[in-house]
Amino acid sequence: MSAGDSTIRNEPLQIDDITVIDKGKVKKAVTAAALGNAMEWFDFGVYGFVAFALGKVFFPEASPSVQTIAALATFSVPFLVRPLGGVFFGVMGDRFGRQKVLSATIILMAVSTFCIGLIPSYDSIGLLAPILLLLCKLAQGFSVGGEYTGAAVFVAEFAPDRKRGFLSSWLDFGSIAGFVLGAGVVVVLSSILGEARFLEWGWRVPFFLAAPLGLIGLYLRHAAEETPAFTEQLERMEKEDQDAVGSAPRISFKEIVGRYWRSLLACVGIVLVTNVTYYMLLTYMPTYLSHNLHYSEDHGVLIIIVVMIGMLFVQPVVGWASDRVGRRPFIAAGSLGLLVGAVPAFHLITSGNIGLIFVGLLLLAVLLNCLIGVMASTLPAMFPTRVRYSALATAFNISVIICGVTPTAAAWLVEVTGDLMMPAYYLMAVALVGLLTAWLMRETANRPLRGDTPNASSRREARELLQQAYDHIEASVGDLDVQIEGLQAKIDDLQQRKQVLVDRHPDLV
């Protein structure tokens, strides 16, 4: 705990200072956050898998290659407004609470996604069609700016310290499940309707499904309670200053950068390596398989669906294991795997053999699991409660601007160079960032969130955590005693040197 993280305690830590989290509340919080995240990534999944159709519907006069790049660019442009959404919803989340803001983000996400299905084609209204598509995507980008980070904070603040990795991993389980659902809907519709009717109106149906999904997510989030950490923060503010309750945290972004620069850099590094890999595999790869490797759209999508279903089983296992061995080993392993395995994986993907293609994609998927399995539990632990949402949302979404151009950049690089290995080189570059981040970051597993008191899942676990806290305090006091002794020796040495000089001066004796 650093200075300024929370009010300094002058009394001994007691058993009642450790929050025992109700299992029912944890389950409700995880479900509400994961379902909302699933809806967010349902849209991203649908958009990636129907990019070929959107290119023909909204950019019909362009060549097939330009159609694909234009459709993917429309996917990437909204990432430019995500930092604005992150700052706005982050400040609101630190001011009014996580639960209220998450209810607002899911409404905006559902409405903007639903509206995409209503946009007429280019043949009907001309240039206005792609403009309306871009506006809807910008609204999505703004809402998503507060969605993932808010959900990660929400789950992390509810989770017991010893289970935070496992419980937070379900957040990205929701992401993958949303992708699977989106992809599955696209495959079923295109198979039943055929390409002509799918291009005519079938592509709209997946976007219309956002409405019922959004209502379900809104109900669950509205029913969930505010997190214990934020409630405790409000109680501290009430004791310090009644007028401070409901006001924005009195700390500027400049102060956040100055005080938490190491956490911000670690956040940026983790987000870059994780999300670039995410978008490369789950958003760009269907287009890569169909456009560059000339597989049918349905064939390529089916392969990705099978890979993602496999990821669903691995995701909670990684989260569970990270509670035992730590988060850093998984970030390092995933990054190192990408560095040495990206090129071999793409050689398998471009081999023309279905079995080898699947193995190549599965290799990338397992490495991605190593990263997303720990991201949601790692990031919120880096910042104290009063700035956790705003600081994390800002850093996360600035990083995501770079990540969001991944599908467009990869498609453009392959088109310009004619080299099918360009996506692999792209992944190797971000893998270096991941390795550096894993080396520099602090371990957060099995520790309280920064500046917070410990969370336990039972009274017995609370007593164990209290003893661990006492042991840590004793060890820290011992370390400080050693440091004080070292400083005292230096002070004595300086005093002796001073006295030697004083003795040599007649007026100072």
Side-chain angles (χ1 to χ4, degrees):
M1 187 183 304
S2 64
D5 285 354
S6 64
T7 303
I8 297 175
R9 297 179 56 90
N10 292 317
E11 67 276 4
L13 186 67
Q14 302 292 338
I15 188 69
D16 291 336
D17 294 319
I18 297 178
T19 305
V20 178
I21 307 294
D22 181 80
K23 293 181 180 179
K25 293 180 180 179
V26 173
K27 184 177 180 180
K28 186 180 293 185
V30 172
T31 303
L35 185 62
N37 213 40
M39 187 208 149
E40 170 193 344
W41 290 96
F42 170 82
D43 167 67
F44 285 158
V46 166
Y47 199 92
F49 290 118
V50 302
F52 73 97
L54 295 178
K56 295 176 182 177
V57 171
F58 292 104
F59 310 97
E61 297 181 355
S63 66
S65 296
V66 174
Q67 285 179 356
T68 300
I69 293 174
L72 291 174
T74 308
F75 170 87
S76 299
V77 167
F79 285 85
L80 297 175
V81 301
R82 282 186 64 161
L84 297 178
V87 171
F88 176 79
F89 288 117
V91 170
M92 293 298 101
D94 283 334
R95 180 177 181 180
F96 299 112
R98 288 68 162 115
Q99 186 261 356
K100 293 183 179 65
V101 170
L102 285 175
S103 296
T105 59
I106 201 169
I107 292 173
L108 183 56
M109 186 70 184
V111 171
S112 55
T113 302
F114 182 83
C115 287
I116 292 178
L118 299 176
I119 302 173
S121 67
Y122 184 93
D123 292 337
S124 300
I125 59 174
L127 188 61
L128 185 59
I131 292 176
L132 290 175
L133 175 63
L134 181 60
L135 290 176
C136 288
K137 295 299 293 181
L138 289 172
Q140 285 181 337
F142 190 79
S143 68
V144 172
E147 169 61 38
Y148 181 85
T149 50
V153 168
F154 192 67
V155 173
E157 291 183 347
F158 260 112
D161 296 339
R162 293 181 176 180
K163 297 181 180 178
R164 184 168 294 116
F166 175 69
L167 293 173
S168 295
S169 70
W170 290 96
L171 187 62
D172 281 295
F173 180 96
S175 303
I176 303 167
F179 254 102
V180 171
L181 179 61
V185 169
V186 171
V187 170
V188 171
L189 283 173
S190 60
S191 300
I192 294 175
L193 299 177
E195 185 175 353
R197 282 190 292 177
F198 186 80
L199 287 174
E200 184 180 353
W201 59 270
W203 65 269
R204 301 178 185 275
V205 176
F207 295 103
F208 290 151
L209 292 178
L213 288 175
L215 289 175
I216 295 171
L218 178 61
Y219 169 77
L220 289 173
R221 289 188 173 181
H222 184 72
E225 297 183 15
E226 187 52 79
T227 68
F230 185 78
T231 302
E232 184 179 316
Q233 172 69 12
L234 285 183
E235 291 174 354
R236 285 201 297 265
M237 291 168 66
E238 279 185 328
K239 292 178 182 178
E240 295 171 8
D241 183 0
Q242 289 286 343
D243 296 331
V245 178
S247 64
R250 298 181 180 180
I251 181 169
S252 66
F253 182 70
K254 182 179 179 180
E255 289 178 286
I256 292 176
V257 172
R259 186 175 296 172
Y260 308 113
W261 62 269
R262 183 170 179 169
S263 296
L264 290 169
L265 288 177
C267 175
V268 169
I270 293 171
V271 173
L272 280 177
V273 66
T274 303
N275 280 16
V276 166
T277 309
Y278 208 132
Y279 294 134
M280 186 70 76
L281 179 62
L282 302 184
T283 300
Y284 173 65
M285 199 51 59
T287 301
Y288 182 80
L289 292 173
S290 60
H291 179 70
N292 297 110
L293 302 184
H294 310 296
Y295 286 91
S296 68
E297 283 82 5
D298 289 349
H299 201 173
V301 168
L302 282 171
I303 297 175
I304 298 295
I305 288 177
V306 174
V307 170
M308 287 191 292
I309 292 174
M311 291 178 65
L312 289 175
F313 291 96
V314 177
Q315 177 70 8
V317 174
V318 172
W320 174 85
S322 75
D323 285 327
R324 282 142 184 85
V325 302
R327 324 291 191 220
R328 292 178 66 195
F330 281 98
I331 294 173
S335 301
L336 181 61
L338 285 174
L339 185 63
V340 301
V343 170
F346 270 86
H347 276 302
L348 293 172
I349 293 169
T350 57
S351 66
N353 182 288
I354 294 295
L356 294 179
I357 291 172
F358 179 77
V359 171
L361 292 172
L362 190 62
L363 173 59
L364 294 178
V366 171
L367 296 174
L368 176 57
N369 270 128
C370 289
L371 300 169
I372 60 172
V374 301
M375 183 169 69
S377 57
T378 302
L379 300 184
M382 295 181 175
F383 304 97
T385 303
R386 66 181 183 134
V387 297
R388 182 171 293 134
Y389 200 156
S390 53
L392 179 55
T394 302
F396 185 94
N397 288 292
I398 289 175
S399 311
V400 164
I401 291 179
I402 302 173
C403 305
V405 303
T406 296
T408 308
W412 179 79
L413 287 171
V414 172
E415 193 67 28
V416 170
T417 64
D419 187 351
L420 294 177
M421 290 293 108
M422 290 307 297
Y425 305 147
Y426 202 107
L427 291 176
M428 291 174 68
V430 298
L432 293 173
V433 176
L435 284 172
L436 180 61
T437 302
W439 181 56
L440 293 175
M441 67 176 284
R442 296 187 178 101
E443 183 57 73
T444 62
N446 295 304
R447 300 176 185 177
L449 297 176
R450 185 168 182 174
D452 290 355
T453 54
N455 284 354
S457 57
S458 66
R459 191 74 173 178
R460 177 182 177 181
E461 186 176 293
R463 288 192 290 270
E464 293 175 359
L465 291 176
L466 182 63
Q467 186 57 53
Q468 287 181 3
Y470 288 159
D471 292 343
H472 176 71
I473 290 172
E474 291 173 7
S476 298
V477 169
D479 291 341
L480 288 172
D481 284 339
V482 172
Q483 294 179 35
I484 290 172
E485 290 176 3
L487 290 173
Q488 187 61 53
K490 291 182 180 179
I491 291 173
D492 291 342
D493 179 62
L494 291 173
Q495 289 284 10
Q496 291 178 4
R497 292 168 60 184
K498 172 186 173 184
Q499 190 61 47
V500 169
L501 294 174
V502 169
D503 291 342
R504 297 175 63 185
H505 194 293
D507 296 331
L508 297 179
V509 175

